[in-house]
Amino acid sequence: MTPATHSTLFPQVPDAADAVLEGLDPEQREVATALHGPVCVLAGAGTGKTRAITHRIAYGVRAGILQPSSVLAVTFTNRAAGEMRGRLRQLGASGVQARTFHSAALRQLQYFWPKAVGGSLPRLVDRKIQLVADAAAACHVRLDRGELRDVTAEIEWSKVTQTVPADYAAAAAKAGRDAPRHPAEIAQLYAAYEDLKRDRAVIDFEDVLLLTVAILQDRHDIAEEVRAQYQHFVVDEYQDVSPLQQRLLELWLGERDNLCVVGDASQTIYSFTGASPDHLLDFRTRHPGATVVKLVRDYRSSPQVVHLANGLLAQARGRAAEHRLELISQRAPGPDPVYSEYTDEPAEAEGAARRVRDLIASGVPAAEIAILFRTNSQSEIYEQALADAGVPYQLRGAERFFDRPEVRKAGIALRGAARFGGNDALLDDTVDLPSQVRAVLSGEGWTSQPPAGSGAVRERWESLAALVHLAQDFAAAKPDATLGDLVAELDERAGAQHAPPVQGVTLASLHSAKGLEWDVVLLVGVAEGMMPITYAKTDEQIEEERRLLYVGVTRAREHLSVSWALSRSPGGRPGRRPSRFLDGLRPGSGNAAPRGGTVGTGGVVRGTTGGVEDVVRRVNRKPARCRVCGRTLTDAGEMKLMRCEDCPSDMDEGLYQRLRDWRAAQAERSGQPDFCVFTDKTLMAIAEAVPATPAELAGIPGVLTRKLKRFGTDVLAICAGQDVEGVEDEH
């Protein structure tokens, strides 16, 4: 078996070039030794593509065939580039440039701008949405928040497809784009946006690529200087390149063909940004003599997970489907995927939280569990459910590890201890590197036992715990390492953004989960209208939604759960059905699925929502409506308040403060963050409704059965004006 991922954090650096090839399977070895001419690697999910290309670069460097400074490896995310740099360093191939397209282009643009244009490079704006809003105001066009985001996306698509404002309408029609406003209006906003950037002397991220392309096209001397520096190129995730990125790659290459591309057309999920698998699928047409290697041995997922993944693609249509790869699992058999049906989305979130809690109790590390959903808006309900269950979690796409305040402070403390440890009383009783790190970080908030609950306190502890675990692995790999050596290792990792694993269940959208993997994956919300998403209308859009689900399935190593809800809110009409992509794949999908609370066969679990009391309470709920204006509520925050955000509040401020005081006392007693007792929105809803009976309290969203049993008596007493421990008399 050649695992694609499970390696120690600090493996031994191979002592020779041939040692780099050890452990590769025949196809991976073919990739690693094909160092000349164009190479195309078609790599299925979990087949070790990153392993293959990093060993290819390392073998070339260690064998003296490639000079490290002459190799440029490009990918699409900082995380992927950081992982590649980390792996190359572990293989003894430091000095290779591994960057994103934008990072590599920005570096060249900053260097050559004074020579090509003169002066300093204009300021790069981090977010263009405010500029788009200003452009809309200049055009006297009113955009709400959603339209603002959609118009910004259209401008980004136009730029990566090299479409100028005057050509937008025709290009959008040809591409079949569903424009958020009239195409002529978007073209006007796009032109105004470009004028505004020019007036303010700023550029955006797409300009980084456009300007680099323009300089390399116009200045042959600069293009030759870049080509003299970089003579060998590797492109990861090649199915995701845009026309603009492809043009930049061609300018980097010039007339040469020392190019290796890696991709999988079945994982093309970013076409809305201009990405196209055509560059990958047409590679042999452009390079007739190319070496093509297919990687189909799946080292990530169990045969049961791979069977479902292959089944999804077997039903696919279109050009990408014609080039699909049939994966062959190399792992031992595991459990069948579990399919679960729930009455509503809150019940589905509670079911997922219970499943996660049980897995952690059985010994599965929280960091090896992920809950994946189609849209970021689905995150909130799962955050709340996990917090209610006392399960730590982390949001994918949040602040990068080495940018976290607690990690920066810990680095400063460790650096100080490394320099002046002889005078630090904390280190008097330490005997090895891990104990030194534990002693130093104890002053930053680390403890041997994690704090209860979740929230900011738990997240800070998890960050420090990751550094403690890293020190243990570092000391095991290098027994003679000092605290100074560890600090140097942390500095290198920070530069490469090669973060250690953090404990906590991962919450992520399917798009942001690309390139990641876990032992346990829970795919939630897999219902029509969400998967495929409602606005996916054309055959191409539907097929991309299928590929997105395929990406989600192939993130799982062993345990895979797929779930859906029959309605969005408690008491809603149960009109939803499971995703069409599951037809013929999930047990019983040939017939109408029963909607009761029964447990089916073949790993199918339907309708499990907890105890009988909870089921009765949910079934009796009516659709959530604003108690002021009567409008049906769909926003999670508004549903908790039982009113529209804009409708007037009749909240009892004194009662709200009494509830907050009581909550603070409860949180301090249990060692949990305040929101693990009740969120602010739930307390506001209670203070507005002033429930007098358990049934009225149970009718407030956010007051789940467990919380009703635990806190109901206190809350009702406070609402009745009675004294309760933890509430000051003056209130």
Side-chain angles (χ1 to χ4, degrees), residues 19-36:
V20 173
L21 303 177
E22 293 178 2
L24 300 181
D25 68 28
E27 293 79 23
Q28 292 170 342
R29 182 179 284 256
E30 184 70 29
V31 173
T33 55
L35 294 172
H36 300 288

Side-chain angles (χ1 to χ4, degrees), residues 401-523:
F401 180 81
F402 288 104
D403 292 337
R404 297 176 186 176
E406 65 271 18
V407 175
R408 290 201 301 268
K409 286 182 63 181
I412 294 170
L414 289 170
R415 185 172 288 104
R419 290 179 180 174
F420 311 111
N423 299 320
D424 194 336
L426 279 173
L427 303 182
D428 286 349
D429 298 325
T430 58
V431 296
D432 56 17
L433 177 59
S435 61
Q436 289 176 336
V437 172
R438 289 193 293 268
V440 173
L441 296 188
S442 65
E444 301 299 321
W446 179 82
T447 57
S448 58
Q449 294 297 320
S454 58
V457 174
R458 179 63 183 245
E459 289 176 4
R460 285 194 294 270
W461 184 90
E462 295 289 358
S463 296
L464 299 177
L467 294 176
V468 170
H469 292 309
L470 185 74
Q472 293 169 346
D473 287 326
F474 189 64
K478 301 181 179 181
D480 298 329
T482 65
L483 197 54
D485 295 331
L486 177 64
V487 169
E489 171 68 23
L490 289 175
D491 287 342
E492 285 199 49
R493 283 175 167 265
Q497 285 298 330
H498 186 204
V502 177
Q503 290 300 314
V505 174
T506 299
L507 290 172
S509 70
L510 288 167
H511 282 100
S512 64
K514 178 77 167 62
L516 302 174
E517 58 188 81
W518 297 268
D519 284 344
V520 181
V521 168
L522 286 74
L523 296 174

Side-chain angles (χ1 to χ4, degrees), residues 56-77:
R56 178 182 189 272
I57 295 170
Y59 176 70
V61 169
R62 299 293 297 276
I65 300 171
L66 304 176
Q67 291 299 315
S69 60
S70 72
V71 180
L72 178 59
V74 288
T75 186
F76 286 83
T77 67

Side-chain angles (χ1 to χ4, degrees), residues 121-137:
L121 183 70
R123 180 175 64 86
L124 178 64
V125 293
D126 291 333
R127 299 177 70 249
K128 59 173 67 67
I129 200 161
Q130 184 57 53
L131 274 171
V132 176
D134 293 345

Side-chain angles (χ1 to χ4, degrees), residues 658 661 723 727-731:
R658 283 166 57 84
D661 291 344
D723 291 334
V727 181
E728 298 294 336
D729 292 340
E730 64 199 49
H731 291 303

Side-chain angles (χ1 to χ4, degrees), residues 534-707:
T534 306
Y535 53 74
K537 304 293 186 184
T538 67
D539 291 343
E540 292 82 2
Q541 291 169 339
I542 295 294
E543 287 306 315
E544 180 147 339
E545 292 289 298
R546 187 195 306 276
R547 294 194 296 271
L548 189 57
L549 182 58
Y550 170 80
V551 166
V553 167
T554 54
R555 299 311 94 193
R557 296 192 190 106
E558 186 172 7
H559 297 276
L560 177 64
S561 295
V562 183
S563 65
W564 58 90
L566 298 177
S567 67
R568 177 172 184 176
S569 56
R573 184 176 65 86
R576 291 180 175 175
R577 63 176 293 267
S579 169
R580 71 190 75 171
F581 300 144
L582 299 176
D583 290 349
L585 299 176
R586 62 184 177 87
S589 58
N591 302 311
R595 292 178 176 173
T598 59
V599 178
T601 60
V604 180
V605 181
R606 294 192 176 89
T608 53
T609 57
V612 174
E613 178 183 354
D614 193 41
V615 174
V616 173
R617 180 168 63 86
R618 289 192 174 281
V619 169
N620 289 337
R621 274 192 178 172
K622 298 177 180 178
R625 297 185 184 279
C626 175
R627 54 192 172 76
V628 179
C629 69
R631 182 177 68 85
T632 300
L633 301 176
T634 56
D635 178 77
E638 292 181 343
M639 288 171 66
K640 282 192 175 183
L641 293 176
M642 294 303 292
R643 64 173 173 81
C644 303
E645 198 76 51
D646 298 332
C647 284
S649 168
D650 54 357
M651 182 177 70
D652 184 330
E653 295 286 350
L655 174 57
Y656 179 61
Q657 187 58 53
R658 283 166 57 84
L659 288 167
R660 285 176 60 87
D661 291 344
W662 165 83
R663 180 183 67 174
Q666 292 290 334
E668 183 177 1
R669 186 176 299 119
S670 63
Q672 294 181 319
D674 287 358
F675 70 82
C676 288
V677 180
F678 283 119
T679 65
D680 285 345
K681 282 283 177 66
T682 300
L683 291 187
M684 290 174 65
I686 294 171
E688 290 184 353
V690 194
T693 67
E696 291 177 359
L697 181 58
I700 296 175
V703 183
L704 307 178
T705 300
R706 183 174 63 84
K707 293 191 176 185

